Amino acid sequence: MSVLRWVKYKSKSLKYRLFVLQFLGVIIPLSLLGYASYSTIYSMLINNIDEGIQNTLVQVRKDLEDTLSSLDYASLELSFEGSIGQKMSEYFRSEDQVEKRRIAGEIEQNVTLVNYTNKSLGVMAYYFPNREQFLFRNIEVMNDYNPFDNKVFMKSKDAIFFGPHRSAYRYGKHTVFSVVKQLHLPAVAGDQQPAYVYIESNFNKLQTTLNVSRYGMTSIHLLADSAGRIVFNASDTESAYGTGKGLESFPNYHFFYSSSDQGWQVIAGVKEDEYRKGIVNWFRSFSMIVIVSVMLSFLFFWFLWRMIYRPMKEIVKAIGAMEATHFDKSIPGSSVLEFDLILNRFSGMRSRVASLLTEVENKERLRGKLEVEKVLHQISPHFLYNSLNTIQWLAKIHGNDEINRLVIVLTRVLRYNLGKEGSFVTVEEELDALQDYIELQSIRYDYRFAVHFQIDEETKQDLIPRFIIQPLLENALYHGMDDENGKIALEVRRVHREQLQIVVSDNGPGMSPLELDRLLGQNIQDQHRSGLGIGLNYVIQILQSCYGADGIFHIESLPDQGTKVSIWLPLGRKST
């Protein structure tokens, strides 16, 4: 638990937060840069590698297709569709041995010519399986060689392609493709001899086409038949001819494919570690950049902390000296402009605090004198109350009830207006005092006016500033009493349950705009006094003091149309 408290405490320190911000300020940009770079570089490298390998592989497939096409075309020359095939038919029809030798010579010469003009061809011959014999061959073939023992690569309409397989050449171990096409020879003496055209690709053609050095990295070439079985591995000299297995027998390779229209595929496999070598090298370089950047950020943080810590230490010393009331202790400057500004401001604040303390001490000395003066000021109201009580007692003794009632009402009005019970009262308390004031003014004006109250019950316990309605009523009495039927209306209601609205209106002669400006611009001492003579400026000052901009005062008046004064007070808000 103590470790957690220590960690929580340290996490609040400026040093810890600067360290975290410095660390994040390095790691986050590097991470974003690394992610963006990795995505871009990975895409560029992989796409370039893929595109290069794929283009090369397509060219390899086209070369193989050309080789197979050459075999197919040459087989047509040697079959009955070609001139050599026609000679072969003449050879078997002829019974003259001299003629047969002549035709045989022409066939051998033409076969040699075809082989010479097409460099992609190797062994060329006619194969007779019943005799296990190759006739008209251009080079020596192995004894007991059977072309049908080789694996079928693909089949066309009238030909079978084999391979890759070992060549039939007696003195070589080359890998070749071959094609076998059946000949329909004429029967001789009732004997139908099956015969086939047998042609191989050139000895070096397949090795040259499937050479993997063109990829520039460790790779293999595979050939797969239309069923997806591996039939040849050009990179395995021990077991080049496939066993029919799939690509799962070649782990850790990344493969590329190019398929022919006949369904067979040529496959290039690249070692995964070499395929991703560029990405790995980039990652190592970027990792070194990250490590160096973090180390430099720690070094920069140490310099930054020293730059901040020393001025902060001086500020703490200055605050401690001010706490001990050592206001005359000098504050050394720092080498940082912002901290020097803070120290200068602090020095000015310290001087101001010293002067304020001196001012407070002087005010405390005067406080006793003010308390005495306050008591002396309170003597006059008490003397006034006592004098009024004496007049009330004498009027009651002599049976003068009207004077007695007038004195009682006047005493209540003065007690409310001069009281010290607080600056805020309820609406109900203000209305009770207002009733006494109205009664007092009714005696003065001999009941020449009437006041109509319209008070919402829900507003009676709302708090308002003391003595804020009476000046509004006093203004209505002074400006609205030119005839014998003066009427004043007082409304108190809530507006939107957020404001208290107080409206005082009269049916007096009203005022022009110029008279309104003069009335609101007068000082209290200069106003025509009626009653207590407080005036509307008092109401405006109370609203500004207690509510600021939320206290609203509004007056409407036109000649011969009376006057209406409205104020709005926010509910539940008052100054302290």
Side-chain angles (χ1 to χ4, degrees):
M1 191 64 181
S2 59
V3 175
L4 293 177
R5 284 199 298 266
W6 181 84
V7 172
K8 186 177 181 180
Y9 170 76
K10 284 295 184 180
S11 65
K12 296 180 180 179
S13 67
L14 178 62
K15 183 177 182 181
Y16 173 82
R17 296 182 181 183
L18 284 176
F19 173 78
V20 172
L21 290 176
Q22 180 77 9
F23 182 76
L24 294 178
V26 173
I27 292 299
I28 292 177
L30 283 176
S31 300
L32 295 176
L33 178 62
Y35 176 78
S37 301
Y38 177 80
S39 301
T40 303
I41 293 177
Y42 182 87
S43 177
M44 290 175 57
L45 290 177
I46 297 301
N47 288 343
N48 289 340
I49 294 174
D50 290 355
E51 184 178 357
I53 294 176
Q54 194 65 44
N55 291 338
T56 302
L57 190 61
V58 169
Q59 187 59 48
V60 170
R61 175 182 57 79
K62 289 181 178 180
D63 290 345
L64 291 176
E65 289 177 340
D66 290 342
T67 299
L68 296 176
S69 296
S70 297
L71 292 175
D72 188 47
Y73 179 77
S75 68
L76 292 176
E77 288 291 327
L78 271 65
S79 65
F80 288 148
E81 288 84 350
S83 60
I84 301 177
Q86 296 295 329
K87 292 289 183 180
M88 191 70 178
S89 178
E90 292 178 9
Y91 175 83
F92 279 99
R93 286 192 181 97
S94 176
E95 297 180 356
D96 185 356
Q97 295 298 321
V98 175
E99 180 68 15
K100 291 185 76 168
R101 281 196 297 270
R102 183 188 66 78
I103 297 173
E106 290 182 1
I107 292 174
E108 290 177 353
Q109 184 179 5
N110 288 333
V111 168
T112 303
L113 180 62
V114 171
N115 182 266
Y116 179 78
T117 57
N118 195 333
K119 299 298 182 180
S120 63
L121 302 180
V123 175
M124 300 178 66
Y126 289 97
Y127 176 65
F128 296 87
N130 289 348
R131 303 177 186 176
E132 295 183 354
Q133 184 181 17
F134 285 90
L135 294 180
F136 309 113
R137 58 187 181 274
N138 59 338
I139 55 178
E140 292 293 329
V141 298
M142 292 184 293
N143 296 326
D144 301 328
Y145 184 84
N146 186 354
F148 293 97
D149 291 338
N150 298 317
K151 290 185 178 181
V152 176
F153 184 68
M154 71 173 191
K155 293 181 179 180
S156 65
K157 181 178 180 181
D158 54 357
I160 302 175
F161 291 87
F162 295 91
H165 59 81
R166 182 178 174 179
S167 173
Y169 179 49
R170 177 179 295 182
Y171 305 108
K173 295 182 179 181
H174 305 286
T175 300
V176 296
F177 278 112
S178 64
V179 61
V180 174
K181 181 178 289 189
Q182 186 174 6
L183 290 175
H184 300 286
L185 297 176
V188 179
D191 183 15
Q192 178 69 41
Q193 293 286 335
Y196 298 90
V197 174
Y198 178 78
I199 304 176
E200 290 182 355
S201 61
N202 183 274
F203 298 148
N204 298 320
K205 180 63 176 178
L206 192 60
Q207 283 75 10
T208 303
T209 302
L210 297 179
N211 187 0
V212 295
S213 62
R214 66 182 73 186
Y215 295 115
M217 59 185 74
T218 304
S219 55
I220 59 174
H221 263 143
L222 305 174
L223 288 178
D225 58 18
S226 58
R229 295 183 297 268
I230 304 300
V231 298
F232 182 69
N233 181 358
S235 303
D236 190 349
T237 57
E238 297 297 329
S239 57
Y241 310 113
T243 60
K245 294 183 179 179
L247 295 179
E248 65 275 1
S249 58
F250 299 91
N252 302 322
Y253 278 89
H254 191 86
F255 292 101
F256 298 85
Y257 308 87
S258 183
S259 301
S260 70
D261 295 336
Q262 294 79 25
W264 57 269
Q265 290 180 314
V266 57
I267 303 171
V270 181
K271 277 286 189 180
E272 282 285 356
D273 53 352
E274 293 199 32
Y275 178 72
R276 302 185 183 278
K277 185 177 180 180
I279 295 297
V280 173
N281 291 338
W282 172 87
F283 183 77
R284 290 174 180 172
S285 301
F286 186 77
S287 298
M288 290 299 300
I289 293 174
V290 171
I291 293 173
V292 173
S293 299
V294 171
M295 294 176 64
L296 289 176
S297 70
F298 288 156
L299 182 62
F300 293 154
F301 168 74
W302 183 75
F303 282 113
L304 179 63
W305 176 244
R306 284 175 56 86
M307 190 185 304
I308 295 175
Y309 177 72
R310 288 183 178 179
M312 288 179 59
K313 189 176 180 180
E314 295 299 330
I315 292 175
V316 171
K317 288 181 179 179
I319 293 175
M322 191 176 73
E323 289 178 349
T325 66
H326 297 158
F327 295 106
D328 55 345
K329 186 175 181 180
S330 62
I331 303 176
S334 67
S335 59
V336 182
L337 178 62
E338 288 78 9
F339 278 110
D340 286 340
L341 179 61
I342 293 175
L343 290 172
N344 291 335
R345 294 289 180 88
F346 179 80
S347 179
M349 182 189 70
R350 186 178 63 175
S351 301
R352 179 60 179 164
V353 169
S355 62
L356 288 176
L357 288 176
T358 302
E359 184 178 347
V360 169
E361 290 176 357
N362 294 334
K363 288 182 178 180
E364 285 296 323
R365 295 190 188 99
L366 297 175
R367 184 175 180 181
K369 181 179 179 181
L370 294 175
E371 290 294 334
V372 173
E373 291 180 355
K374 180 179 178 181
V375 173
L376 292 177
H377 281 291
Q378 289 177 345
I379 293 175
S380 179
H382 287 300
F383 177 75
L384 179 61
Y385 297 152
N386 292 335
S387 299
L388 290 173
N389 287 336
T390 301
I391 295 173
Q392 176 188 354
W393 180 73
L394 289 174
K396 189 173 183 180
I397 291 177
H398 291 87
N400 196 330
D401 295 332
E402 186 174 356
I403 295 177
N404 180 38
R405 184 170 64 85
L406 177 62
V407 172
I408 291 174
V409 174
L410 178 59
T411 301
R412 287 204 300 264
V413 171
L414 291 176
R415 285 187 183 277
Y416 180 78
N417 292 338
L418 301 178
K420 310 295 182 182
E421 290 80 4
S423 58
F424 281 82
V425 296
T426 63
V427 172
E428 188 174 20
E429 292 172 337
E430 181 80 359
L431 293 176
D432 291 341
L434 196 62
Q435 292 285 3
D436 292 333
Y437 175 76
I438 292 172
E439 184 175 356
L440 186 65
Q441 293 293 59
S442 297
I443 296 173
R444 175 184 177 184
Y445 289 101
D446 195 18
Y447 298 96
R448 290 183 297 165
F449 68 92
V451 180
H452 174 69
F453 288 84
Q454 186 175 347
I455 312 299
D456 289 351
E457 286 295 327
E458 62 179 358
T459 65
K460 288 188 176 182
Q461 298 305 315
D462 292 336
L463 293 178
I464 60 175
R466 173 193 290 272
F467 197 57
I468 196 170
I469 300 179
Q470 183 174 314
L472 304 180
L473 192 64
E474 183 176 298
N475 177 76
L477 286 172
Y478 181 76
H479 295 286
M481 296 302 298
D482 283 355
D483 53 38
E484 297 293 332
N485 297 315
K487 294 181 181 180
I488 300 173
L490 171 62
E491 299 178 49
V492 181
R493 60 175 175 267
R494 288 183 181 178
V495 180
H496 306 305
R497 307 194 67 83
E498 297 177 357
Q499 287 182 317
L500 185 70
Q501 183 183 28
I502 301 173
V503 181
V504 177
S505 57
D506 62 63
N507 63 344
M511 291 177 283
S512 65
L514 183 61
E515 291 174 321
L516 275 178
D517 292 340
R518 185 169 61 249
L519 175 66
L520 297 177
Q522 288 177 334
N523 295 324
I524 293 177
Q525 293 83 356
D526 300 331
Q527 292 175 359
H528 296 289
R529 295 179 178 269
S530 174
L532 296 178
I534 299 301
L536 298 180
N537 278 336
Y538 168 80
V539 177
I540 297 174
Q541 292 173 3
I542 286 295
L543 290 175
Q544 293 176 349
S545 174
C546 294
Y547 304 104
D550 293 332
I552 302 173
F553 176 90
H554 181 68
I555 184 170
E556 302 175 21
S557 184
L558 290 173
D560 301 325
Q561 295 186 20
T563 302
K564 179 181 179 181
V565 181
S566 305
I567 61 175
W568 287 267
L569 315 177
L571 290 174
R573 293 185 57 188
K574 60 179 186 292
S575 65
T576 54

